Amino acid sequence: MKVSPLTLFLVVLSNELMDVLSSSLKPQRFKGRVQRDRRNIRPNIILIITDDQDVELGSLQVMNKTRRLMEQGGAHFTNAFVTTPMCCPSRSSMLTGKYVHNHNTYTNNENCSSPSWQAMHEPRTFAVYLNNTGYRTAFFGKYLNEYNGSYIPPGWREWVGLIKNSRFYNYTLSRNGFKEKHGFDYSKDYFTDVITNDSINYFRISKKIYPHRPVLMVISHAAPHGPEDSAPQFSELFPNASQHITPSYNYAPNMDKHWIMQFTGAMRPIHMEFTNILQRKRLQTLMSVDDSVNRIFQMLAETGELDNTYVIYTADHGYHIGQFGLVKGKSMPYDFDLRVPFFVRGPNVEPGSIISQLVLNIDLAPTILDIAGLDIPADMDGKSILKLLEPEKPGNRFRSNKRARIWRDTFLIERGKLLRKKEDGTGDAQQTNYLPKYERVKEVCQQAKYQTACEQPGQKWQCVEDSAGRLRLHKCKGTPKVHAGSKKSRSLRGQTYASNHCDCSSNSYRMRQSERRNQRQFLNIHTTHKFKHRFLRTRPIRSVSVELEGEIYDIDLEIADLESLMPQNITMGSYREDKAAGEAVENVMIGEDGSKAGESVLDSVKVTHKCYILANETVHCEKELYQSARAWKDHKGYIDKEIEALQDKIKNLREVRGHLKRKKPEECDCNRKSYFSRDKGMRNQGKLKNKNSHLHPFREVAQEVDNKLQLFKENRRKKKDRKIKKRMRKGDSCSLPGLTCFTHNNEHWQTPPYWNLGSFCACTSSNNNTYWCLRTINETHNILFCEFATGFLEYFDMNSDPYQLTNTIHMVDREILNQLHIQLMELRSCQGHKQCTPRTKAAETGNKDGGSFDQHRGQLWDGWEG
């Protein structure tokens, strides 16, 4: 059959038109920068994340396989940092490419995997973008600390996520929406091996079924996070591990650093022994990660995908073990908690290259999008590091002013959230670091209340000059004497008050004679009781009889020292009060020396019916409590019940106080103009109430805001009470208010090497450990500048002090501090990579000088003095 050329041409033209129409009508949610014919050769991406892996303490020294594959076979970034040294905030920044102040996950509890995170930020992670453009996405391992397994985060086709925090045994996984529990069998349950096996199987199956579709895999290990349970084959390695003993190890106390560093002293021997075993167990857990990395590379080589796969290895933050006396932990703004390992291997990456530019955890999401050929959203704060991986092109040898590669030299470090003020209106005390202690004491002693030697009523402290001529604050000894005549019993009868009306009459009003006459007539008609004059006994009490332990002591009150304390005139009402006071004085502890009996009676404080606090601040009880174990036990049980009852009463009183604060009536101001018009003789309607008899619209808004604030405070208080009750049920005596503490005992580690030295308690952080810092690294500067929420400042120059041992804030010029503060405030509110990665003056002009101390526009800050 013959086909004419015209017919063939028409058939081909119609096919082309149909292809064009079908491609134009097909919806595309995310348009990439790669062409359609290149979609099938896009590279695979594998991101390997470890939990709490340090750089400063030498954890990479034992991972020989990882260093050979990643460091020697790829690029090593020597200045890799995280912007927040905590698990959940840092992982949230990795997923979104944003600073903490833009994704609002401040701590491991605050907004971590919360409904607001799920609604606002989780739909905009790098996994969502890649999944919508053809990548087969998969996640294996630890996700976020508060992830509960009730849903599958968007963007992941394969999901094997750990529920809650890191574990190696006895954990639960969410496998594609179904919960899967694991036990204590190493061959089936060891977490590192489980997620490694799952990721390798998924990659093989994906390439077998969809050979031309790229794969994105995230393998998030729990190692070396606690509880540091290693695989059995590695439990005897590194018996003499000492990489953690750096120059800052047990360098304490640190009075020039922020509050928790001042509070923490040097470690005890049991703490130091714990740090040695902890370092050993952390290294043992990393050996399983080292094997996992090696197995993944073997799988890539076997499938033929090694040359078309980018592999990124990093950690969510660093760690400290004994540094500055802190037994263990993270969350500090120092290099041992901020620096992380960072390796990249893949196409066009020069093997063995070392890159010194700053890279951050917020750069991961933009980099992954750039590798996939997608446009980077403008709201991401990080930048793609692909341009740093490109080999430098040979320049023109005749061009002398070669321009350096432009990159950031400064970034923001932020941790925690702003401290809330207490309900009574007083916030945490502001911390200052400009005056030495003796100067501050000298300044305090200038106040009038410290000028006298414990003579003023209620004075608790006095200033005393020591032998060296310096002033010291000493506590006043003893309790002030309470005059017997000044004691008054509190009336328990209910009092009635008028309604909320202003009474602006004068207190010195005196009735006229006619008004007094009318009053007498009214009383004579309506009352039957006749008021007569009565003579009262006014002779003062001369002695008091006190019974103690079966013996009666007579105290003469006509002693010269005691006579002045007794009232001279006693009415019938006050006599009844003195009688009640006399009953309260019964059984008061009398000293063995009869001459001091009167002084003991008047100065002692009755605590229980058998125990007293004497004037010299010592406690004394009846003899039977010291001689009978049964009496001691009964009385101690009685005291415990009293304490519990008083605690309940205090709680109820606080509830009532909070209620009264919320329902406080408006105060009367007699000086302001009355609501009643004197001219018209009527109330001005409509000024404070509208026609519907509701609150004024302005007050309605204020009332609504106040109600929401009170509800928030009430929920926060209830949450705090639940935590306290939970600690009491567990018998946790280690937790202290405002501090983050932990208890370690012999049952903590379930795998060898075991801990058998008993339990101990240590505190690692505090609630006021909230800060914002500038970290600058360039050719001329290597500094850290921090502002804490308490008002404390820190400055370290790592060129001269690489281990950040000394805070040199006093040596920095005030103008430089103002410039650093302005730059820090700009970064604290930045949004998007254009604002969060400012181009320095040196980069714009082509100079080699760092831009950290360039002049800033605007007024200098006046926040520091001294």
Side-chain angles (χ1 to χ4, degrees):
M1 178 179 179
K2 268 189 168 184
V3 179
S4 64
L6 181 59
T7 304
L8 183 61
F9 174 75
L10 291 175
V11 171
V12 173
L13 182 60
S14 62
N15 290 335
E16 291 292 333
L17 288 174
M18 290 297 295
D19 291 341
V20 171
L21 287 174
S22 61
S23 62
S24 62
L25 294 175
K26 186 178 180 179
Q28 293 183 358
R29 295 183 62 184
F30 295 93
K31 185 177 180 181
R33 289 186 287 104
V34 295
Q35 299 298 326
R36 182 176 178 83
D37 57 350
R38 292 176 53 84
R39 291 289 177 94
N40 57 351
I41 61 171
R42 284 186 295 173
N44 307 300
I45 305 170
I46 298 178
L47 173 61
I48 303 173
I49 304 174
T50 53
D51 197 357
D52 292 8
Q53 185 175 4
D54 60 88
V55 171
E56 299 285 304
L57 309 187
S59 64
L60 284 170
Q61 296 177 10
V62 300
M63 303 181 69
N64 297 324
K65 300 174 184 177
T66 302
R67 294 182 63 186
R68 173 176 55 83
L69 294 170
M70 298 297 301
E71 185 176 0
Q72 299 177 9
H76 179 202
F77 290 84
T78 56
N79 285 318
F81 294 85
V82 295
T83 58
T84 302
M86 294 190 73
C87 293
C88 196
S90 179
R91 290 171 177 267
S92 301
S93 295
M94 289 179 175
L95 292 167
T96 61
K98 296 180 180 180
Y99 275 114
V100 164
H101 65 264
N102 287 330
H103 62 65
N104 301 320
T105 303
Y106 296 102
T107 65
N108 287 338
N109 300 317
E110 191 80 12
N111 204 33
C112 180
S113 190
S114 66
S116 62
W117 157 265
Q118 298 173 27
M120 297 177 59
H121 303 290
E122 216 165 28
R124 299 181 61 83
T125 62
F126 62 80
V128 175
Y129 293 107
L130 268 67
N131 180 57
N132 290 333
T133 53
Y135 268 82
R136 292 187 54 79
T137 57
F139 187 95
F140 304 93
K142 177 181 176 180
Y143 184 54
L144 299 175
N145 295 49
E146 293 298 318
Y147 173 69
N148 57 16
S150 61
Y151 70 102
I152 300 175
W156 302 103
R157 293 177 180 268
E158 181 73 11
W159 178 257
V160 183
L162 176 66
I163 295 178
K164 296 295 183 177
N165 210 352
S166 296
R167 284 178 176 270
F168 296 87
Y169 294 106
N170 300 319
Y171 56 87
T172 302
L173 292 175
S174 173
R175 186 179 295 274
N176 295 322
F178 297 94
K179 293 185 178 180
E180 178 182 287
K181 292 187 177 181
H182 287 261
F184 199 75
D185 187 351
Y186 168 74
S187 61
K188 298 186 298 183
D189 302 317
Y190 192 66
F191 184 74
T192 305
D193 295 345
V194 168
I195 62 175
T196 301
N197 295 335
D198 288 344
S199 61
I200 291 175
N201 292 336
Y202 177 79
F203 192 92
R204 291 182 182 275
I205 294 174
S206 294
K207 287 300 176 182
K208 184 177 294 185
I209 300 176
Y210 306 100
H212 299 295
R213 294 187 62 179
V215 175
L216 165 69
M217 285 199 317
V218 176
I219 307 171
S220 181
H221 292 285
H225 193 284
E228 300 97 8
D229 292 323
S230 62
Q233 63 269 27
F234 304 125
S235 61
E236 296 182 0
L237 297 180
F238 317 116
N240 300 315
S242 60
Q243 298 93 332
H244 62 292
I245 303 179
T246 62
S248 61
Y249 180 81
N250 207 21
Y251 188 85
N254 295 271
M255 303 309 295
D256 61 334
K257 296 182 175 65
H258 59 283
W259 184 84
I260 185 62
M261 311 298 289
Q262 299 175 18
F263 176 83
T264 307
M267 292 186 294
R268 293 187 285 129
I270 190 173
H271 295 153
M272 300 177 71
E273 181 64 25
F274 170 77
T275 60
N276 296 335
I277 300 181
L278 177 62
Q279 173 72 359
R280 180 185 180 188
K281 292 185 72 70
R282 282 170 55 87
L283 297 181
Q284 290 172 355
T285 60
L286 286 174
M287 297 307 297
S288 297
V289 178
D290 199 38
D291 284 350
S292 172
V293 174
N294 186 54
R295 291 180 58 195
I296 289 171
F297 270 88
Q298 289 179 356
M299 177 269 298
L300 291 175
E302 292 172 1
T303 56
E305 296 288 337
L306 181 59
D307 294 334
N308 192 38
T309 302
Y310 280 91
V311 181
I312 305 173
Y313 182 96
T314 188
D316 55 359
H317 52 75
Y319 206 71
H320 58 258
I321 305 176
Q323 278 62 43
F324 297 132
L326 299 172
V327 178
K328 70 170 186 177
K330 52 252 188 182
S331 79
M332 295 298 164
Y334 309 121
D335 275 13
F336 45 70
D337 285 352
L338 294 173
R339 285 187 179 270
V340 292
F342 201 101
F343 303 100
V344 179
R345 173 170 174 165
N348 301 323
V349 177
E350 184 178 355
S353 58
I354 297 177
I355 301 174
S356 61
Q357 277 84 358
L358 287 174
V359 294
L360 309 173
N361 56 341
I362 60 175
D363 296 333
L364 279 174
T367 301
I368 292 174
L369 293 180
D370 198 13
I371 292 174
L374 302 178
D375 293 326
I376 300 172
D379 61 344
M380 285 190 176
D381 303 329
K383 295 181 64 176
S384 171
I385 64 173
L386 280 188
K387 63 168 65 176
L388 300 178
L389 296 172
E390 298 174 355
E392 294 189 7
K393 298 178 181 179
N396 189 350
R397 61 190 180 93
F398 299 103
R399 185 177 178 181
S400 58
N401 55 346
K402 181 181 178 181
R403 190 167 184 175
R405 179 180 289 168
I406 298 175
W407 193 254
R408 70 164 72 93
D409 68 347
T410 302
F411 67 95
L412 171 68
I413 306 167
E414 50 187 345
R415 189 266 178 189
K417 55 186 182 298
L418 283 173
L419 300 178
R420 299 187 182 99
K421 292 186 177 181
K422 296 181 181 178
E423 293 185 6
D424 56 0
T426 59
D428 290 350
Q430 290 294 306
Q431 201 178 3
T432 178
N433 54 344
Y434 279 96
L435 290 177
K437 183 178 179 180
Y438 70 90
E439 290 286 351
R440 298 198 300 271
V441 172
K442 183 178 179 181
E443 199 172 89
V444 169
C445 288
Q446 300 298 323
Q447 302 179 20
K449 60 182 179 180
Y450 300 113
Q451 297 293 325
T452 57
C454 297
E455 296 176 357
Q456 303 181 37
Q459 184 175 350
K460 296 182 179 179
W461 298 88
Q462 63 172 334
C463 289
V464 180
E465 190 172 351
D466 61 7
S467 58
R470 290 186 175 182
L471 292 172
R472 304 285 185 184
L473 280 173
H474 285 229
K475 193 172 184 179
C476 294
K477 298 294 183 181
T479 56
K481 295 184 178 181
V482 181
H483 298 281
S486 64
K487 292 182 179 179
K488 294 184 179 180
S489 61
R490 182 177 296 179
S491 176
L492 299 179
R493 290 177 295 179
Q495 299 182 9
T496 59
Y497 298 92
S499 59
N500 189 20
H501 294 297
C502 294
D503 184 10
C504 299
S505 59
S506 174
N507 292 330
S508 61
Y509 173 75
R510 185 176 182 180
M511 291 190 295
R512 294 190 297 271
Q513 186 175 2
S514 60
E515 292 176 341
R516 291 197 300 272
R517 189 185 306 113
N518 295 333
Q519 186 184 40
R520 286 196 300 271
Q521 293 177 359
F522 178 84
L523 292 175
N524 291 331
I525 295 173
H526 293 86
T527 59
T528 59
H529 182 72
K530 303 300 181 182
F531 298 96
K532 297 181 180 180
H533 294 287
R534 179 177 298 180
F535 292 98
L536 302 176
R537 181 168 59 86
T538 59
R539 182 176 64 84
I541 300 174
R542 295 179 180 177
S543 64
V544 175
S545 295
V546 179
E547 181 180 355
L548 179 66
E549 298 182 2
E551 299 183 10
I552 299 178
Y553 297 85
D554 291 330
I555 303 172
D556 188 4
L557 297 180
E558 291 187 342
I559 303 175
D561 294 339
L562 303 176
E563 191 174 3
S564 60
L565 301 177
M566 302 304 297
Q568 300 299 323
N569 297 315
I570 305 178
T571 63
M572 182 60 70
S574 61
Y575 171 73
R576 293 193 186 98
E577 293 175 3
D578 286 341
K579 184 178 180 181
E583 293 176 357
V585 175
E586 286 183 359
N587 296 328
V588 173
M589 174 53 56
I590 306 299
E592 295 180 1
D593 187 0
S595 61
K596 297 182 180 179
E599 183 179 356
S600 300
V601 169
L602 294 176
D603 290 348
S604 62
V605 178
K606 182 179 179 180
V607 180
T608 65
H609 57 284
K610 293 187 178 182
C611 293
Y612 311 84
I613 299 178
L614 304 182
N616 57 358
E617 297 185 354
T618 59
V619 179
H620 197 87
C621 300
E622 293 184 1
K623 289 182 180 179
E624 63 174 351
L625 298 182
Y626 302 115
Q627 297 173 354
S628 172
R630 179 64 181 271
W632 177 90
K633 183 177 180 181
D634 292 343
H635 199 66
K636 183 179 178 298
Y638 165 77
I639 293 174
D640 292 338
K641 291 182 179 179
E642 286 290 314
I643 291 174
E644 186 176 353
L646 289 174
Q647 287 176 344
D648 293 339
K649 187 174 181 180
I650 290 173
K651 180 181 177 181
N652 295 334
L653 289 174
R654 285 176 175 168
E655 291 273 359
V656 175
R657 182 180 65 179
H659 172 76
L660 292 177
K661 283 183 178 180
R662 294 190 294 270
K663 302 298 183 180
K664 181 180 178 182
E666 296 182 7
E667 296 182 359
C668 295
D669 187 1
C670 298
N671 295 325
R672 68 183 178 184
K673 189 176 180 180
S674 174
Y675 297 149
F676 293 90
S677 174
R678 295 184 179 180
D679 298 334
K680 298 182 180 180
M682 60 179 294
R683 187 169 182 174
N684 294 325
Q685 298 288 338
K687 288 190 175 180
L688 291 179
K689 291 188 176 182
N690 57 24
K691 60 182 180 181
N692 295 326
S693 299
H694 294 302
L695 287 174
H696 191 274
F698 295 157
R699 291 193 176 180
E700 285 183 355
V701 176
Q703 185 72 21
E704 183 180 356
V705 173
D706 184 64
N707 291 340
K708 290 182 179 179
L709 180 61
Q710 294 297 336
L711 180 62
F712 172 77
K713 290 181 178 179
E714 182 69 15
N715 293 335
R716 186 157 53 91
R717 185 192 60 77
K718 290 181 180 179
K719 184 178 180 181
K720 186 177 181 181
D721 291 342
R722 287 196 298 268
K723 287 184 178 180
I724 294 175
K725 291 180 181 179
K726 185 177 180 181
R727 290 171 183 169
M728 292 177 65
R729 287 196 302 268
K730 291 182 177 180
D732 185 5
S733 60
C734 179
S735 300
L736 297 174
L739 291 174
T740 303
C741 307
F742 74 95
T743 303
H744 190 85
N745 52 37
N746 295 347
E747 287 77 30
H748 183 74
W749 284 324
Q750 301 297 320
T751 57
Y754 298 106
W755 174 260
N756 53 13
L757 297 181
S759 63
F760 67 88
C761 173
C763 297
T764 59
S765 187
S766 61
N767 289 353
N768 61 2
N769 188 27
T770 297
Y771 52 79
W772 300 267
C773 303
L774 278 180
R775 186 72 167 90
T776 299
I777 299 178
N778 53 36
E779 295 182 3
T780 57
H781 297 95
N782 187 0
I783 65 162
L784 173 68
F785 169 73
C786 292
E787 295 179 3
F788 287 82
T790 58
F792 200 84
L793 304 178
E794 291 185 358
Y795 182 92
F796 301 94
D797 185 357
M798 270 69 80
N799 286 333
S800 58
D801 183 15
Y803 295 97
Q804 300 158 294
L805 302 179
T806 306
N807 179 15
T808 58
I809 191 69
H810 302 283
M811 303 172 60
V812 183
D813 186 75
R814 178 183 173 84
E815 184 178 354
I816 293 178
L817 289 178
N818 280 287
Q819 295 171 2
L820 291 172
H821 170 76
I822 293 173
Q823 189 176 6
L824 180 59
M825 296 302 293
E826 291 176 353
L827 284 179
R828 283 179 57 179
S829 60
C830 71
Q831 291 183 345
H833 67 275
K834 292 184 178 180
Q835 294 182 10
C836 296
T837 312
R839 294 180 60 179
T840 61
K841 184 177 179 181
E844 292 174 355
T845 58
N847 297 330
K848 291 184 179 181
D849 296 335
S852 300
F853 302 116
D854 296 331
Q855 297 293 331
H856 292 269
R857 296 180 180 179
Q859 186 179 2
L860 293 181
W861 185 49
D862 295 329
W864 298 297
E865 295 181 0

